[in-house]
Each structure stands twice: as structure tokens, then as C-alpha cells.
Amino acid sequence: MLSRNSFLALTMLALAGCANVPLRGTGDLGVVIERATGSVEVVETSGRSVLGHIAGLGDLSHASVNYSRDGRYAFVFGRDGGLTKVDLLGMRIVKRVMQSGNSIGGAISQDGKLVAVANYTPGGVKVFDSATLDLVADIPAIDAAGQPSKVVGLVDAPGNRFVWSLFNGGEIWVGDLKNPAHPALQKFTHIGKEPYDAMITADGRYYLAGLFGEDGLALLDLWHPEAGVKRVLNHYGKGEQKLPVFKMPHMEGWAATGNELLVPAVGRHEVLVIDQNTWQEVAHIPVHGQPVFVVARPDDRQVWVNFAFPDNDTVQVIDVPSRKIVKTLKPGKGVLHLEFTPRGESVWISARDENRLTVYDSETYAVQAVLPADNPSGIFFTHRANRTGL
Amino acid sequence: MWLALGSLFFSAGAACADPATPDTARRNELIRMVRNDCGSCHGMRLTGGLGLPLTPESLRGKPDSGLVASILYGRPGTPMPPWQAFLSEAEAAWIVENLKQGFPDVKPQ
């Protein structure tokens, strides 16, 4: 039994321990995928520093991240089908499940309780309890012709729904997970050939899938699903020879600026400007290479673009009102991703072959920091926790 | 300078021994390219993604010439692009040979 004195000493020790680990929030934290080593680097954007590394996340050669709504936990989706829940404050893996053979990304539900993963092998969507990573729903992607399909473009939508596309089958499915034990599915067939990725507008209304096998995009208005999927921009570039595509564009970063969407043109050195009222192309902006990520600064005044191989050493800045390129930067070889700080004063850019992150002032383009990272790819800050579609 | 010349002679010598074999520096570039750029569709571990797996098991029995042609000229009707602007036929053949044996890893820098 403890004497009163030793109890007091223990209490003091415990208090001293607490004093050494100051409380902190997570709003200025983020993770950077280190693709070759299967680790993530935890960073903070206030002092622009690296806080630590967490290893053991498997094959992260294609990886994406969603956050718990408290911004403390990152759900990391790896190429090898691994889903890993990482604690940014505890700097550790909380849980890891191998949920398929090959996956492409995921989404977290509106209520934060469900994490869904899009899989290639076997194709389908698996849904997990975000607290425990227990499987709560398994939805195979068998298309109308009875064939299995790879799933791409999985996003969350209001009403605890998820929306995804079938790459091989050319379908868009909406899954209502209000009752996770009995997902209610709505399927849209013949939406276009080879949807390769998709996005949802920030208000959660429009789901847009980019098509690889043909020109244009497939558009679903989630306020009016009864109207079906419409094809938009399907006359774009008709009869023109496309360039070979050395890296699939991503759509998560598609920039929505007021009434316009800026999207990468597949197989062209262009960014397309689409009027969101008419869904017509109103302009195309010539750029340095084939765009991969087209990301709006949070104030929508600028859009930053990176490019596919072999132009992946460059980032360009488009001034949205004038649709002119106002800056061309060379952050290094293998630029794979860029992420703005929550209010957009800085942008972080990863250069895989240089093993570094460069932080730029988004107004002056001055370099604010250069940080080490091992083969960095995706950069994901915690403000994504509270944004639909991220 | 002498060092550079030396390595030039060395690679010239290696090239003479077997004209189809890329030199060490180029091989390292090819390894990086396959792991990273091919890897963006086929996976850095080449286990597949939007593109097919390129592991020795999955390529077993497929003729080298067809695989070399796929690399150089792409596969029409699929997202596989032609890489001939970046690779010679000998380099594509070297990649195929190594994919079938189990592709080497990028050397740590």
C-alpha cells in the first residue's frame, strides 16, 4: 500500500509528465505520403516543420487519406488494399486491416462514422466502422452485364451516401448507408466509357466522372437523381488526335471557382473551363504539359496545376479572372501533389525525386521552407476533415 | 573530368560487350522510370492498379516481342500509352527481360 507521501510524489510525477506534453489541436497538422518506404510524415503548417514519421503502412505507391471529423485520425488507403488508421497526436498506428488485394482510395461519411474504400481487386466498395475498422458493408461491383469492375472516384455525399464509378462497366452507383447493414443502391448504367476518376462539388450536389475511353464527362445531379446521368463536354476535341497519357489526371483537386469548374483535359496540354450553369466549355487554357492536379487556392483567385511525366518538374499558376498563367515554378523532379494551407497563404508541393517538400508563399511565390521527405507523394492537411468530397 | 571520361569508357566497353544492354547509369534511370512512371498505373510494386500486374507470374508465357511492342507502341483501345519517345527497343527489351525475372528495386540514394 502506498504511503501518503509516495502517493503525493507519484501525483507530482504524473503532473510533471503532463506538463512535458503540452496539449495541442490538430487544425494545422497534416500527413505526407512517403511512397517508397510505406510511411507517413506528420507535419505542421504553423511553424512549417516535420513532427515525426509513422512506418508500417505497406505499399503506398498510390495512396490517399481522409480524416476523422475531429482531425485527429488519418485513414490511409494504400495500393495493396491496406486501410490504416493513424493517430496524428499519438504518432502511431491505431489499427490496420488488409481489406482487399488492390485499392485506389476512400471516403468518410457525412456523420464521420463510416469509412468506405474503393477497390480494384476484387472490385467493389467495402465500408468500415471508423472507430474500430470493423467491416460493416461489402458491396461488390458487378456491372449490368454481370462482369466484375474496378471501382474509381469514390466520394461521400450528403445523407450519409457514397457515390462511385465502375471503370470497366461504365456505371455510376449511389449507395445510401443510413442503415449500413442494408445499403440502398441506385445504379446508373451506360454513363460513358471508362470513368477513371470523379469528384463531387463542395456543396455535395454534382458528381462528375472523367471519362478516359471517350471525350467528355458524366454528370449526376444528386438533387435530381431521377433526371439520370448526363454527358457533358462530349463534343470537346472531336476529331483531334489526343496525346498519349502518361499519367491519369486526378479529379479530387478539380477547382470550383464560383460558377466555373477548371478541369484537366485528358491527353491535352490544356485546362478546361466549364460554366457550371450550362455545363459548356467556355475556355481552354494552354498549359505546360498534361495536367494531373488542378487545385484552387481557397479564395478561388488562383489555380495551381502540376503535370504528368515527362513534364512533372513544373507547377503553373493560373490567375482565374484573366485565365492567364502568371507564374511557372520548378519545384524539382517528380512533382506529384500540392496542398494549400487551410486559408491558402501557403502551398506545399512534393517533389518525389528530390526527396523534399517546398512551401511557397501563394502571393509572392517566395520559398518559405524546404523540408525533407522520403519520396513524397500526396500531402493531406486536416482541414479536409470537414469538407464534403475530401 | 577524368572520372567522367573513365565512366564513359567503362560504359562504352559494356555497350561493346552486348549492344542490347543499357549501361549502369541508364539502367538505374530505367528502374526509376518503371517503378515510378509505369508504377502510376501498374503499381510501384508492379502488382497492378488501373493497369495489369507486371509480375513474373502474370507475364509468364507471354512472348517478349508482344510485350516490347506494347511498351513501345502502347495498346490501342486501352489507356496504355506508347513510350517510344523515351525508350529504345533495346531498353524496352531489357525492361521486359527484367520484369519476367522480378524487377530490380531502385537503389537508395
Side-chain angles (χ1 to χ4, degrees), chain A residues 140-161:
Chain A
I142 306 298
D143 67 18
Q147 297 299 312
S149 191
K150 292 174 180 172
V151 169
V152 298
L154 172 67
V155 300
D156 63 295
N160 248 35
R161 290 177 296 172

Side-chain angles (χ1 to χ4, degrees), chain B residues 15-104:
Chain B
C16 285
D18 178 359
T21 307
D23 67 22
T24 312
R26 180 61 180 156
R27 255 182 264 168
N28 288 335
E29 280 176 23
L30 294 177
I31 293 168
R32 273 196 92 79
M33 188 173 167
V34 169
R35 292 274 171 197
N36 289 322
D37 298 307
C38 304
S40 61
C41 281
H42 297 281
M44 194 172 54
R45 297 182 186 177
L46 307 172
T47 49
L50 207 56
L52 298 170
L54 303 177
T55 52
E57 308 77 67
S58 58
L59 297 180
R60 190 170 297 138
K62 294 189 177 168
D64 290 5
S65 57
L67 295 170
V68 169
S70 293
I71 293 173
L72 292 176
Y73 310 114
R75 290 174 67 88
T78 79
M80 176 67 180
W83 294 84
Q84 56 179 336
F86 312 102
L87 295 171
S88 70
E89 188 163 344
E91 289 167 347
W94 183 86
I95 290 171
V96 167
E97 185 190 330
N98 280 276
L99 286 173
K100 286 192 159 181
Q101 291 168 4
F103 205 75

Side-chain angles (χ1 to χ4, degrees), chain A residues 35-36 58-59 61 79 102 120 150 167 212 244-248 309-310 352-353 355 375, chain B residues 32-33 36-37 40-41 43-45 47-51 77-79 81-83 86 109:
Chain A
R35 65 198 299 275
D59 180 356
S61 59
R79 163 64 81 204
N102 196 317
Y120 281 169
K150 292 174 180 172
F167 173 76
F212 189 85
V245 177
F246 294 106
K247 182 173 168 64
M248 286 284 183
F309 174 88
R352 178 195 63 206
D353 298 352
N355 292 308
N375 283 268
Chain B
R32 273 196 92 79
M33 188 173 167
N36 289 322
D37 298 307
S40 61
C41 281
M44 194 172 54
R45 297 182 186 177
T47 49
L50 207 56
T78 79
W83 294 84
F86 312 102
Q109 288 165 329

Side-chain angles (χ1 to χ4, degrees), chain A residues 149-206:
Chain A
S149 191
K150 292 174 180 172
V151 169
V152 298
L154 172 67
V155 300
D156 63 295
N160 248 35
R161 290 177 296 172
F162 293 103
V163 189
W164 61 91
S165 297
L166 274 52
F167 173 76
N168 313 84
E171 300 185 9
I172 292 175
W173 290 15
V174 180
D176 184 329
L177 274 287
K178 278 191 221 38
N179 179 357
H182 299 282
L185 298 176
Q186 193 174 9
K187 302 176 185 179
F188 300 87
T189 58
H190 302 104
I191 60 102
K193 198 168 168 227
E194 292 175 336
Y196 64 91
D197 196 10
M199 59 92 76
I200 190 164
T201 49
D203 54 10
R205 175 168 179 182
Y206 296 107

Side-chain angles (χ1 to χ4, degrees), chain A residues 2-281:
Chain A
L2 291 173
S3 72
R4 177 173 297 180
N5 274 349
S6 58
F7 179 77
L8 198 69
L10 274 176
T11 311
M12 299 270 288
L13 260 177
L15 283 173
C18 289
N20 288 337
V21 187
L23 294 173
R24 71 159 298 152
T26 59
D28 59 352
L29 298 185
V31 300
V32 178
I33 303 295
E34 297 183 306
R35 65 198 299 275
T37 45
S39 53
V40 294
E41 181 169 90
V42 180
V43 297
E44 57 86 25
T45 57
S46 299
R48 302 181 193 117
S49 68
V50 174
L51 298 180
H53 294 83
I54 301 164
L57 282 81
D59 180 356
L60 298 183
S61 59
H62 188 289
S64 66
V65 172
N66 291 115
Y67 283 101
S68 61
R69 61 197 275 154
D70 61 6
R72 174 169 178 178
Y73 300 100
F75 298 95
V76 183
F77 309 94
R79 163 64 81 204
D80 55 5
L83 163 60
T84 312
K85 182 175 178 177
V86 171
D87 178 354
L88 269 55
L89 294 179
M91 206 67 79
R92 67 189 182 96
I93 291 174
V94 178
K95 186 145 189 201
R96 177 170 163 76
V97 293
M98 292 303 291
Q99 56 85 42
S100 81
N102 196 317
S103 70
I104 187 66
I108 188 158
S109 62
Q110 185 178 35
D111 67 2
K113 292 188 170 142
L114 303 171
V115 173
V117 194
N119 289 317
Y120 281 169
T121 318
V125 172
K126 283 192 178 173
V127 185
F128 297 86
D129 181 314
S130 64
T132 61
L133 296 194
D134 290 336
L135 183 70
V136 295
D138 184 357
I139 308 166
I142 306 298
D143 67 18
Q147 297 299 312
S149 191
K150 292 174 180 172
V151 169
V152 298
L154 172 67
V155 300
D156 63 295
N160 248 35
R161 290 177 296 172
F162 293 103
V163 189
W164 61 91
S165 297
L166 274 52
F167 173 76
N168 313 84
E171 300 185 9
I172 292 175
W173 290 15
V174 180
D176 184 329
L177 274 287
K178 278 191 221 38
N179 179 357
H182 299 282
L185 298 176
Q186 193 174 9
K187 302 176 185 179
F188 300 87
T189 58
H190 302 104
I191 60 102
K193 198 168 168 227
E194 292 175 336
Y196 64 91
D197 196 10
M199 59 92 76
I200 190 164
T201 49
D203 54 10
R205 175 168 179 182
Y206 296 107
Y207 179 83
L208 268 169
L211 302 174
F212 189 85
E214 60 186 274
D215 289 319
L217 309 160
L219 169 70
L220 177 63
D221 179 352
L222 291 165
W223 289 10
H224 297 288
E226 72 284 354
V229 173
K230 288 193 194 98
R231 209 75 61 80
V232 297
L233 293 196
N234 48 341
H235 297 297
Y236 176 76
K238 208 120 229 167
E240 285 175 33
Q241 186 66 42
K242 273 191 200 173
L243 300 168
V245 177
F246 294 106
K247 182 173 168 64
M248 286 284 183
H250 276 253
M251 268 174 287
E252 168 221 272
W254 280 22
T257 60
N259 287 326
E260 291 172 349
L261 289 175
L262 276 73
V263 303
V266 181
R268 294 186 173 84
H269 292 193
E270 291 175 355
V271 169
L272 307 182
V273 183
I274 303 173
D275 182 317
Q276 231 183 288
N277 297 313
T278 61
W279 297 101
Q280 299 289 315
E281 179 212 342

